[in-house]
Structure formats: C-alpha cells, structure tokens
Amino acid sequence: RFIAKPCALGLKVQANGPQKAQPNAILEKVFTAITKHPDEKRLEGLSKQLDWDVRSIQRWFRQRRNQEKPSTLTKFCESMWRFTFYLYIFTYGVRFLKKTPWLWNSRQCWNGYPYQPLMPDLHYYYIVELSFYWSLMFSQFIDIKRKDFGIMFTHHIVTITLITFSYVTNLTRVGTLTLCLHDAADVVLEAAKMAYYCKCQKLSDLLFLTFAFVFIVSRLGIYPLWILNTTLFELYEALGNFPALWVFNMLLVILQILHCFWSYLIIKAAYKAISKGKVAKDDRSDIESSSDEEETVPRSKSPHSTITTNGTGGANGTNGYLTGGTCSEEH
C-alpha cells in the first residue's frame, strides 16, 4: 500500500480495472443468483426477453465476470511484495549456506545427527520461511484467485508440513538447502510479472525465459539429483531405517510431482513465447477477451428497435429464469 502502489503509479501501471458491463437489472440478477456462465437455452430466453442478440448477452456476461477480477495495479503490488520477500530470503539463504559445510558436501547434513546444534541463523531462516508460507496459506483466500488454486493449496500444505516436520525432527540442514533452492526461481518469476504489468514486453520475455531455465534446472535437475539423492540414499546409508525418514521422503516426492506438473505448464508457455515471439500471459488469472470486447452497447435483434431495455420489464423481472438450480462459481 505505501511502497508498491506509489512505485506502480510511478511506472505508469494501469490503475483502472477491466471495462465495466452496462448496468442491467435482469442480467445482474441472473449473474448473482443463478450462474455466471449461462447455457445456450438460458441465453436464448434472455435474448427474447431483453430483445438483445445472444452475442451481446454473452459479451455482457464476459465483461461482468472480468469486472470482478483484479486490476493490473493490484496484481503488480502483489508481485512486488512477493519479489521483495523472495529476493531478501534468497540472499539471506545464500549468505548463510556458503559458510556451512553441508552446502558443499550433502553428507554433512547427517554428520552427528540427531545431535546437531540449532544455530541462531538457521532458526531465524526457518521461522521467517515458515511465517511467509503460513501467510500465503491464509491470504490465498483473499488474494488474486488463480485457476490452479487447488494445486497451490496443496503446495502450501506440503511446504508448511515439510518445514514444520523437518524442524521438529532436526532435519534442518537439508531443509535449508531445499528452501534456498526453491526461492531462486521465484525471484525471477515475480520480476517477470512486474515487467509484464509495466508493459516492458522484451524485458518480461527475457525474464520469463530465464525463470523457465532456472525452474527446470533447479526443480527437475538439482532437486532430485542433490536433495532427493541425499534424503533417499545418503541418509539411509548414514543412519539406517527410521519412521521419520519415510514421512520426510514422501513429502519431498509429492513436492517433486508438483514440480513436474508446473514444469509442463512452463515449457508450454515458453514454447509459445519462442514460436509467437512473445511470452503468453499468466493464464491463471487472465481477463477474458474477444475481438468484439470494445463493443459496449448491445445490438437489438429487431432492426427497427433503437431503444434497449434497462432490465426492468418482464414478469417478475426475470421471465422465469431465476427458478433453475445454481451453478458452481468461477474461481
């Protein structure tokens, strides 16, 4: 509010939201009480009632759905907050880990386990990371809604469980490696989003392709060959079998499955970026659009009619279209 917003306005980030739909009482009642995505039958009924063509009604619903989505300014501020945190915590993690022996030799993660002292710097690192992911867990219900809400919810649950479990069982050394490795790509992702919101397309493209490279190398290369290798094999060789080992590894493998899913989406977006010459939008929160988005006044079906209804006519104002079952809301 006090830092990101002034920065966004200084960079001329668009402050207004999507184009608002034309006020219409009947369509608004259908939108709020029945469905945000009317089917063909309902569209035809509304078309007869309002004397609008179906395409105009579809456009109204599309604009009304977009109206509830956040503005570019809101998205920029959210990305700037996350970028600031990721940059700080990644820098802190690198400065802390470069002084530790287990960064250069992963077998040192298990040297003297479980009687390893909890250093103040390591404790601070864990508490700050855990606090941030708890904040994401709660704020995702009020922040910008994404299409991959369920996947992100699962990711936050697994991450919080991993951080807490590794802290309780004193598996913190390998935990710090995992945290730092994951923060590396997130810094570049948020920077790419901010560049996109500022309409710096070339910089956004470059940052996105950099993010794609860092993400795939770190999550599909370094993570399994370095982190999973030491927890699945080196830990077993050093300490043998114990219950916490299986729980810890199960959580790490679930995280790797999520990495594979996101890598597929990233590779798909990177392919579009290379083939079309620019990076695709963050399609988890895109505003719906069409070639006729600029047309705001609905066309009447009747060529002789020059006045459109304001949505106050009809029996009970609904023509019987508020009597159906409700549909699930759009995320």
Side-chain angles (χ1 to χ4, degrees):
R1 180 178 302 172
F2 302 110
I3 299 175
K5 188 174 181 179
C7 288
L9 295 176
L11 293 168
K12 302 188 185 308
V13 174
Q14 189 176 8
N16 58 319
Q19 184 180 18
K20 292 187 177 181
Q22 174 185 343
N24 186 291
I26 293 177
L27 296 181
E28 183 68 26
K29 201 168 184 180
V30 172
F31 182 87
T32 55
I34 299 180
T35 178
K36 297 180 181 181
H37 296 272
D39 56 23
E40 187 176 346
K41 183 178 178 182
R42 195 179 303 278
L43 286 171
E44 289 176 357
L46 290 169
S47 175
K48 292 177 183 178
Q49 180 182 358
L50 298 175
D51 200 24
W52 290 10
D53 60 25
V54 171
R55 191 179 180 190
S56 297
I57 296 174
Q58 288 175 326
R59 186 185 310 112
W60 188 95
F61 273 93
R62 181 171 57 252
Q63 290 177 345
R64 184 63 182 82
R65 289 193 297 269
N66 288 337
Q67 191 175 314
E68 296 192 335
K69 295 183 180 180
S71 65
T72 303
L73 178 64
T74 302
K75 291 190 280 189
F76 178 91
C77 292
E78 180 183 302
S79 290
M80 187 172 181
W81 150 242
R82 295 193 184 196
F83 170 79
T84 304
F85 174 81
Y86 286 130
L87 181 62
Y88 165 72
I89 202 66
F90 176 69
T91 304
Y92 179 89
V94 170
R95 291 183 61 190
F96 166 71
L97 285 171
K98 70 180 183 180
K99 300 180 291 186
T100 62
W102 60 86
L103 175 64
W104 316 107
N105 180 8
S106 58
R107 290 184 181 274
Q108 287 293 323
C109 291
W110 323 118
N111 187 26
Y113 181 84
Y115 305 106
Q116 297 171 341
L118 182 63
M119 296 178 287
D121 290 345
L122 190 153
H123 172 76
Y124 172 78
Y125 191 22
Y126 251 71
I127 293 302
V128 172
E129 287 274 18
L130 182 60
S131 302
F132 178 70
Y133 280 104
W134 267 117
S135 75
L136 290 185
M137 169 67 72
F138 292 112
S139 65
Q140 68 181 334
F141 295 101
I142 57 174
D143 281 346
I144 298 167
K145 293 296 186 294
R146 309 288 190 181
K147 292 178 183 177
D148 63 348
F149 176 87
I151 299 295
M152 286 303 298
F153 184 79
T154 304
H155 173 266
H156 296 333
I157 289 288
V158 172
T159 303
I160 290 170
T161 307
L162 261 172
I163 294 174
T164 305
F165 185 80
S166 61
Y167 186 88
V168 170
T169 56
N170 208 25
L171 294 166
T172 51
R173 291 186 177 183
V174 73
T176 57
L177 298 178
T178 307
L179 289 170
C180 190
L181 183 65
H182 281 72
D183 291 334
D186 292 329
V187 176
V188 190
L189 173 62
E190 299 303 334
K193 287 183 180 181
M194 288 193 296
Y196 177 79
Y197 298 143
C198 293
K199 299 188 183 300
C200 300
Q201 189 63 50
K202 291 184 179 179
L203 177 60
S204 175
D205 292 350
L206 177 62
L207 287 171
F208 179 80
L209 293 175
T210 303
F211 158 73
F213 176 78
V214 173
F215 187 96
I216 291 169
V217 169
S218 62
R219 313 264 179 122
L220 297 187
I222 299 175
Y223 179 80
L225 295 177
W226 188 33
I227 303 297
L228 290 182
N229 176 66
T230 192
T231 58
L232 287 171
F233 304 108
E234 293 177 355
L235 174 57
Y236 183 81
E237 291 173 8
L239 302 171
N241 190 14
F242 59 100
L245 180 147
W246 295 102
V247 176
F248 191 55
N249 280 318
M250 180 186 69
L251 293 170
L252 290 173
V253 169
I254 292 174
L255 205 56
Q256 180 62 17
I257 293 171
L258 294 175
H259 293 165
C260 294
F261 171 76
W262 278 317
S263 295
Y264 163 74
L265 297 180
I266 291 167
I267 291 170
K268 194 165 132 183
Y271 174 76
K272 288 181 182 178
I274 295 170
S275 61
K276 295 183 179 180
K278 69 176 184 177
V279 176
K281 296 179 183 178
D282 180 7
D283 62 359
R284 296 178 303 159
S285 60
D286 274 352
I287 291 174
E288 299 174 61
S289 62
S290 71
S291 59
D292 59 359
E293 189 68 32
E294 293 80 12
E295 189 175 345
T296 58
V297 180
R299 296 189 300 265
S300 171
K301 286 199 305 179
S302 170
H304 305 293
S305 175
T306 57
I307 301 175
T308 56
T309 178
N310 63 0
T312 57
N316 299 324
T318 62
N319 200 26
Y321 281 91
L322 289 179
T323 57
T326 58
C327 298
S328 60
E329 288 187 1
E330 174 191 30
H331 291 286

